[in-house]
Amino acid sequence: MKVDESGFSLWELSVSLAVVMGWMTSFVMQGNERIQRLSDTLFIYERLQGEVLLEATEPTGREQVCEKGFCLPTL
């Protein structure tokens, strides 16, 4: 770049854009993984909640219902 030029060259712009896109891709991928874990956990709790309600209508004597380390007390 000449001394009296101002602004960005196409090369500088391309490299900057590639860096920003790489960072954003990583950020989005991590966000998607967190959303998937949250969705899985929510699905487990929904199933457990259904079992708690089933236990309330037809008692078997269980004190809690558990799945994959998550537990809910029965009513």
Side-chain angles (χ1 to χ4, degrees):
M1 194 187 298
K2 295 179 186 175
V3 176
D4 61 346
E5 285 185 24
S6 62
F8 298 102
S9 69
L10 181 59
W11 172 250
E12 291 169 324
L13 187 59
S14 298
V15 169
S16 298
L17 186 59
V19 168
V20 169
M21 287 182 68
W23 177 80
M24 287 180 66
T25 300
S26 172
F27 181 74
V28 169
M29 294 293 286
Q30 289 174 1
N32 287 344
E33 290 170 4
R34 289 179 181 168
I35 290 170
Q36 184 60 45
R37 284 195 310 263
L38 180 62
S39 176
D40 293 344
T41 301
L42 182 62
F43 188 66
I44 290 170
Y45 272 115
E46 286 177 341
R47 281 198 309 258
L48 290 176
Q49 198 172 32
E51 286 191 44
V52 166
L53 292 175
L54 214 85
E55 177 70 24
T57 59
E58 301 172 9
T60 61
R62 294 191 296 184
E63 291 184 12
Q64 62 183 2
V65 181
C66 298
E67 181 180 330
K68 294 184 181 178
F70 298 103
C71 296
L72 290 178
T74 56
L75 301 174

